[in-house]
Amino acid sequence: MAPHRKSRPPSPMGIRTPALATAALTSVALLSQTANASPSEEPRPSLEEVEKKVGDLYRQAETASEKYNAAKEKTTKQKKRVDTLLDDVARRTEKLNDAREELGTFAAAQYRTGASAPDTASLLLADNPQDYFDQTQLMDRLTSRQKQSVDDYVTQQTATTEKRQEASESLETLTRTQSSLKTSKADVQRKLATARDLLSKLTTEEKARLAAIERQKQEEAQRKADELARQQAADAERRRQEAAQSTGTSTGTGTSGSGSVASTAKADKALAFARAQIGKPYVWGASGPGSYDCSGLTQAAWKAAGVTLPRTTWDQVKAGTTVSVNSAQPGDLVFFYDDISHVGIYIGDGMMIHAPKPGAYVREESIYYMPIHSVVRPA
């Protein structure tokens, strides 16, 4: 009789229904795709983000440009000083050699006659002739002519040593400034390259939308300029009437503020120069005649009127009298942003001439296109 075996129920793990098999295969496929998928790309920035980023980069580049301008101006001055000092050292060294040669002649004569030559020779070799001179009785053994030669030698060596030290320190300062100049230049180039890269990735449609945003900004700025023009005209008319009433005549012309005839004439010359530059390209670090940056244009304009302005916006803002925006007159300098990184020359009616930014040209524009920092009257 065959042994009786109890049948075991089939293990649930051994059952493979079509639905479960399909789900398993799908899971494996999804896991495989996830494992093999490349890292997700960064989300594309919105047009508004690009517009803001590019604007910020241009502003940062302009600030770096002003640092470059300051370092360049400082480098030019320091290089002239170093050249002057080195020329002075060369002249003094020549005089020192002449004094040394004369002392050497006396030393040779003393040696031939058996006099105390070692003292004179030691003086020539001494690191500090004055100390050696003070510590010896050499002068007691020298003639009046020899004494004068020793005095000349000591004086020339002391002066030459001082000038050499001064030239060395100036060279070190020049090296540091040149390094700062190089750093500022690289900073400008890096920021402008980033801005160009962002703009190059825009589609045709996005570029059109960006242009529309720019037009909207220009229109709003122009609206504010027109409002200022009306206000200034009303103020001028009010002053004219007040002047007529006080003098009993209506011949007054009225102005938008105080100013002498001489300063007005200078402002007219500065404006005439600025208008002649309209259409020339903005180039950072440029001060004419073929291209300009913002402070390069204002400096050149006032130079044409016989007024010397500093090179950078940070120095130009200190080179005159601060007035209110409502009192701005043609020729005044209008500065922008909290860091005073941009400047234009006021032409009246809320408008200015300025060198705007890379890729743009010298043009007329509302002063309200950017946040105003202050208005300064140079003359």
Side-chain angles (χ1 to χ4, degrees), residues 237-252:
E237 177 62 19
R238 176 179 51 78
R239 285 191 296 270
R240 187 191 68 78
Q241 292 178 359
E242 290 174 352
Q245 290 173 0
S246 64
T247 60
T249 176
S250 59
T251 58

Side-chain angles (χ1 to χ4, degrees), residues 145-368:
R145 183 181 175 187
Q146 289 172 324
K147 289 178 182 179
Q148 184 60 48
S149 296
V150 170
D151 287 341
D152 289 346
Y153 176 77
V154 171
T155 300
Q156 290 298 333
Q157 185 173 64
T158 300
T160 302
T161 300
E162 291 175 351
K163 285 297 178 181
R164 281 175 178 165
Q165 179 64 29
E166 189 176 355
S168 177
E169 292 172 355
S170 294
L171 277 170
E172 291 177 1
T173 301
L174 176 60
T175 300
R176 288 194 298 270
T177 307
Q178 287 175 328
S179 176
S180 176
L181 182 68
K182 185 177 180 181
T183 299
S184 297
K185 182 177 181 178
D187 195 19
V188 175
Q189 292 173 329
R190 183 169 54 254
K191 286 177 170 56
L192 293 181
T194 303
R196 286 193 298 268
D197 182 60
L198 285 170
L199 291 173
S200 68
K201 294 177 180 178
L202 295 179
T203 65
T204 302
E205 181 183 353
E206 287 174 328
K207 289 178 181 178
R209 286 171 54 201
L210 192 62
I213 293 174
E214 175 69 13
R215 285 194 299 272
Q216 191 174 17
K217 287 176 60 178
Q218 294 278 4
E219 290 169 0
E220 176 61 19
Q222 186 61 54
R223 184 190 64 76
K224 291 182 179 179
D226 293 341
E227 183 179 333
L228 176 63
R230 287 191 295 271
Q231 183 177 347
Q232 288 183 330
D235 290 344
E237 177 62 19
R238 176 179 51 78
R239 285 191 296 270
R240 187 191 68 78
Q241 292 178 359
E242 290 174 352
Q245 290 173 0
S246 64
T247 60
T249 176
S250 59
T251 58
T253 57
T255 62
S256 59
S258 62
S260 67
V261 174
S263 63
T264 300
K266 290 179 180 179
D268 289 343
K269 289 181 180 179
L271 286 175
F273 180 92
R275 285 193 177 95
Q277 312 314 308
I278 291 177
K280 292 184 178 180
Y282 173 101
V283 174
W284 67 270
S287 55
S291 57
Y292 298 89
D293 63 12
C294 66
S295 56
L297 175 64
T298 51
Q299 183 190 49
W302 273 99
K303 182 179 180 180
V307 176
T308 301
L309 290 181
R311 178 62 179 90
T312 70
T313 53
W314 305 314
D315 290 327
Q316 288 182 10
V317 76
K318 305 171 188 175
T321 303
T322 302
V323 299
S324 68
V325 175
N326 288 349
S327 300
Q329 293 181 1
D332 290 349
L333 302 179
V334 187
F335 296 90
F336 301 91
Y337 301 112
D338 291 339
D339 62 354
I340 321 176
S341 57
H342 191 76
V343 63
I345 184 167
Y346 190 65
I347 61 176
D349 295 335
M351 302 293 288
M352 66 177 170
I353 296 174
H354 71 144
K357 59 185 178 182
Y361 298 85
V362 176
R363 66 193 184 200
E364 292 185 12
E365 197 154 52
S366 166
I367 62 173
Y368 292 103

Side-chain angles (χ1 to χ4, degrees), residues 45-207:
S46 68
L47 183 62
E48 289 72 18
E49 290 173 334
V50 171
E51 193 267 344
K52 183 180 183 306
K53 181 66 174 177
V54 169
D56 289 344
L57 285 167
Y58 279 152
R59 271 195 58 203
Q60 293 167 17
E62 195 154 35
T63 300
S65 295
E66 290 302 306
K67 290 180 180 179
Y68 171 86
N69 291 336
K72 184 178 180 181
E73 186 176 43
K74 193 173 181 181
T75 297
T76 301
K77 291 179 180 178
Q78 288 175 343
K79 189 175 185 309
K80 288 181 180 178
R81 174 166 177 74
V82 167
D83 290 342
T84 300
L85 285 171
L86 291 177
D87 288 342
D88 193 13
V89 168
R91 287 192 298 270
R92 291 180 181 278
T93 299
E94 185 175 357
K95 290 181 180 179
L96 180 63
N97 290 337
D98 291 341
R100 181 183 288 112
E101 184 176 349
E102 186 168 1
L103 279 179
T105 301
F106 289 134
Q110 288 175 332
Y111 180 77
R112 286 194 300 270
T113 60
S116 54
D119 285 337
T120 306
S122 297
L123 172 63
L124 291 171
L125 297 174
D127 291 334
N128 192 327
Q130 186 62 56
D131 289 346
Y132 178 84
F133 170 77
D134 292 340
Q135 294 171 11
T136 65
Q137 298 177 350
L138 176 63
M139 294 300 286
D140 294 338
R141 296 191 294 273
L142 297 177
T143 66
S144 60
R145 183 181 175 187
Q146 289 172 324
K147 289 178 182 179
Q148 184 60 48
S149 296
V150 170
D151 287 341
D152 289 346
Y153 176 77
V154 171
T155 300
Q156 290 298 333
Q157 185 173 64
T158 300
T160 302
T161 300
E162 291 175 351
K163 285 297 178 181
R164 281 175 178 165
Q165 179 64 29
E166 189 176 355
S168 177
E169 292 172 355
S170 294
L171 277 170
E172 291 177 1
T173 301
L174 176 60
T175 300
R176 288 194 298 270
T177 307
Q178 287 175 328
S179 176
S180 176
L181 182 68
K182 185 177 180 181
T183 299
S184 297
K185 182 177 181 178
D187 195 19
V188 175
Q189 292 173 329
R190 183 169 54 254
K191 286 177 170 56
L192 293 181
T194 303
R196 286 193 298 268
D197 182 60
L198 285 170
L199 291 173
S200 68
K201 294 177 180 178
L202 295 179
T203 65
T204 302
E205 181 183 353
E206 287 174 328
K207 289 178 181 178

Side-chain angles (χ1 to χ4, degrees), residues 14-61:
I15 300 174
R16 289 184 178 272
T17 65
L20 289 174
T22 302
L25 290 172
T26 302
S27 299
V28 171
L30 288 173
L31 288 171
S32 177
Q33 289 176 3
T34 302
N36 295 329
S38 59
S40 59
E41 296 182 358
E42 292 184 4
R44 181 182 176 85
S46 68
L47 183 62
E48 289 72 18
E49 290 173 334
V50 171
E51 193 267 344
K52 183 180 183 306
K53 181 66 174 177
V54 169
D56 289 344
L57 285 167
Y58 279 152
R59 271 195 58 203
Q60 293 167 17

